[in-house]
Amino acid sequence: MLAVGIVEGEVRERVRSGALDPAVDAVAIRRIVDDVVADYSQRRLTTSLPDLGDAAATAREVYDAVAGFGPLQRYLDDPGVEEIWINEPGRVFVARRTGPELTTTVLGDGEVRDLVERMLKTSGRRLDLSAPFVDASLPDGSRLHVVIPDVTRRHWAVNIRKFVLSAYSLGELVALGSLPESAAAFLDAAVVAGLNVLVAGGTQAGKPVNR
């Protein structure tokens, strides 16, 4: 959409001129997006600028492109999505409790590479022919796995396992049947007493993410 491209270009210019870092200046960038969208809407009243459409949707799309992970951000924000994977740019899948589904998101090879580079920025990890696969953490605790050719046949393969909470307290764990009441009482007392607690388990067993 032409209008979205114009707004995104203006936002990126303001971000560059303000020397803002999307990884740490999210609030400032959100403010810039809202200001640019509002300014665009006013200018369109007296100019031949293309129609912006839904201003809120445009602001969200531009913010995701500039400070988020582009078209994948909506799946990262969706609490019902547990996993995202890309076997080829034109086929982006997500997994929910009801099972996997093919999304309508279509990416280009360049978009996939740009998104992966953006995701790896905070981890300091790199991906090239000398290191053709990577395992890293995203800022929200999600796990990112990427493999590139020649390990894969043609396209970059991307998998994101989200950090999904199904229980937020010991009481909820007891209600779910994951923890006996006696064990919950013991853990509660251990934390109150300031004891060291070691948590162990397999992948996706529900261990807390280190913060």
Side-chain angles (χ1 to χ4, degrees):
M1 184 176 176
L2 183 56
V4 174
I6 295 173
V7 171
E8 182 180 335
E10 293 181 7
V11 168
R12 290 188 182 278
E13 181 57 35
R14 291 198 191 185
V15 170
R16 282 193 295 269
S17 63
L20 299 176
D21 183 349
V24 297
D25 298 315
V27 174
I29 293 174
R30 174 79 70 181
R31 190 178 302 116
I32 289 174
V33 171
D34 291 341
D35 289 346
V36 171
V37 169
D39 180 65
Y40 185 98
S41 298
Q42 287 297 317
R43 282 185 288 147
R44 188 181 179 278
L45 297 176
T46 56
T47 66
S48 58
L49 286 170
D51 183 18
L52 191 62
D54 187 333
T58 297
R60 172 62 187 272
E61 183 177 344
V62 171
Y63 179 81
D64 288 348
V66 175
F69 296 126
L72 299 184
Q73 189 63 50
R74 58 175 167 164
Y75 305 123
L76 291 167
D77 292 340
D78 186 342
V81 172
E82 299 178 344
E83 191 171 359
I84 306 163
W85 70 93
I86 307 170
N87 292 334
E88 59 182 86
R91 294 170 64 82
V92 178
F93 292 85
V94 297
R96 303 179 188 272
R97 288 186 179 275
T98 53
E101 64 182 61
L102 176 63
T103 72
T104 57
T105 300
V106 177
L107 305 171
D109 283 312
E111 286 182 280
V112 173
R113 297 184 184 196
D114 289 344
L115 286 170
V116 169
E117 288 178 4
R118 197 183 309 174
M119 291 176 179
L120 291 177
K121 183 178 179 181
T122 57
S123 71
R125 305 292 298 276
R126 65 186 180 86
L127 195 62
D128 52 36
L129 291 178
S130 64
F133 54 87
V134 71
D135 179 4
S137 292
L138 297 182
D140 67 351
S142 299
R143 299 295 301 181
L144 170 67
H145 308 272
V146 186
V147 185
I148 66 173
D150 290 325
V151 176
T152 59
R153 177 174 296 181
R154 179 178 178 186
H155 300 290
W156 286 32
V158 181
N159 175 265
I160 302 170
R161 287 189 291 110
K162 290 175 58 180
F163 177 60
V164 179
L165 286 176
S166 56
Y168 294 85
S169 68
L170 288 174
E172 290 181 357
L173 287 173
V174 172
L176 288 170
S178 300
L179 196 67
E181 287 189 22
S182 57
F186 174 80
L187 286 173
D188 183 65
V191 171
V192 171
L195 301 179
N196 292 325
V197 179
L198 176 64
V199 180
T203 301
Q204 290 188 306
K207 303 184 299 298
V209 174
N210 293 327
R211 297 285 184 183

